[in-house]
Every structure is written in structure tokens, then in C-alpha cells.
Amino acid sequence: MIARLKAVRTAAGRITLAPILVRFGVFLVTFAGLLLSYPVQMLQGQTLGALAVVAVAPAVSPHRFWPSFATLVTVAGWVLATDLHERPITLWRLLFVAALLYLAHTLTALAALLPYDAAVDPDLIVRWLTRAGTVVLATSVLGVLLVELARVGSDGTGRMPVTIAGLLVVVGLTAMLAWLLRRR
């Protein structure tokens, strides 16, 4: 028992700032996603505390099942808000929740790779976040374009053009991934 306590004390003395900041980012992004997805009526007292615990779990243990659990709790909040509390689905909220889910996913992946005592070049984190921001921006623009395309159509629903555009996006992404794999 004493050997374990000494090992924990030694490890705590070796903690560096970058992995702690990444894990704090995981907490912030996950908690923001939870707050946006749940109905306002539920964001009080014990529920808010439980959501904070759900957001802390992937930050503390990013290599376990907690990131998936936090994602499922966020999606459950979205379904709860839109179905049971009949909150209208707005484009801005949908885009923000989706972006926060992606950022939580990518930051959790980075946190899982970084031990607490890692010496990290700040450029690595900047490049990681720049790449994630590019993905979020591109998918948000594409999502807005697809929503606008859904309004175009002979019957007013626009489901056929959106379906075709979505299929074209999937085919294009598949072709790009195949090209990237061949390039290696």
C-alpha cells in the first residue's frame, strides 16, 4: 500500500500542463454538448450535477468506455428534448451539438494518446485542433447547403435532391479515401 502511494505521489509530481489542458478541453466540450442537447427545464440541481459527472468521466479516463457513454447521454438528451419536451429542431442547435460531439471525440482521442507526464510540443495540439476545426467547418457548410437544398423541389419537401446530394457526398468521400490509401 505504501509503495502504491509513493508511486501516485511520484506520478503526480511529473504531471505536465499540456495533457491536463487537453483533458480540461474534453470536459468543457462534452459539458457544453450536454447543456445544449438537454431541455432547459432539466438543467437544475441534481441533473446538472449528474451531467457534470458524465462530462468529467471521459476527461479522467479517455481510453475506457466513458467517451461513448457521454456521447450516448448527449444523444439521449437531444431525443428527450425534441420528442418529449417538443423542442423544435433548429439548425444552429443541431450544428453546434454535432460539432461539439465531434470535438469531444477528437479531443478524447488525443487525451487517450497523451500520458499525464508527456512533454508535448504546442504545435501538435494546434495542428490537431486546426484539423478538427476544418472538419467541423466543412461539415457545417455542407449541412447548411443540404438543408437549403431540401427546400428546393417540386413537391416542397426536397427529399429526392437531398438524398441524391448525400449519395454523391458519400461516393466522393469514398473515392477520396481510396485515393489516399493508394497514395501511401
Side-chain angles (χ1 to χ4, degrees):
M1 179 77 165
I2 293 175
R4 286 188 182 182
L5 287 175
K6 285 183 182 180
V8 168
R9 194 174 103 198
T10 303
R14 296 178 58 191
I15 292 175
T16 58
L17 183 62
I20 296 300
L21 288 177
V22 170
R23 289 168 190 261
F24 184 67
V26 169
F27 166 74
L28 285 179
V29 170
T30 304
F31 195 56
L34 287 165
L35 291 178
L36 269 178
S37 66
Y38 273 84
V40 176
Q41 301 89 342
M42 293 184 67
L43 297 178
Q44 304 170 28
Q46 292 179 342
T47 306
L48 192 60
L51 292 178
V53 169
V54 169
V56 165
V60 171
S61 184
H63 49 284
R64 303 268 184 206
F65 68 94
W66 294 114
S68 298
F69 179 74
T71 300
L72 290 174
V73 171
T74 304
V75 172
W78 178 267
V79 170
L80 183 72
T82 56
D83 285 348
L84 294 180
H85 289 272
E86 297 178 0
R87 178 171 66 194
I89 298 174
T90 56
L91 181 61
W92 72 267
R93 187 181 303 269
L94 180 64
L95 288 176
F96 273 108
V97 170
L100 289 170
L101 281 172
Y102 176 74
L103 289 174
H105 169 75
T106 191
L107 281 175
T108 303
L110 180 59
L113 293 174
L114 295 177
Y116 282 107
D117 60 349
V120 180
D121 184 13
D123 285 343
L124 174 104
I125 296 173
V126 169
R127 283 182 291 163
W128 192 285
L129 292 176
T130 302
R131 191 173 299 139
T134 303
V135 169
V136 167
L137 180 65
T139 54
S140 297
V141 168
L142 184 64
V144 169
L145 288 175
L146 287 176
V147 166
E148 289 302 317
L149 186 61
R151 294 187 181 149
V152 177
S154 58
D155 61 351
T157 62
R159 290 194 175 108
M160 185 58 74
V162 170
T163 303
I164 292 171
L167 287 172
L168 289 174
V169 167
V170 169
V171 168
L173 286 174
T174 304
M176 183 184 77
L177 289 173
W179 176 73
L180 287 172
L181 282 175
R182 269 188 267 132
R183 213 174 90 184
R184 278 190 166 188

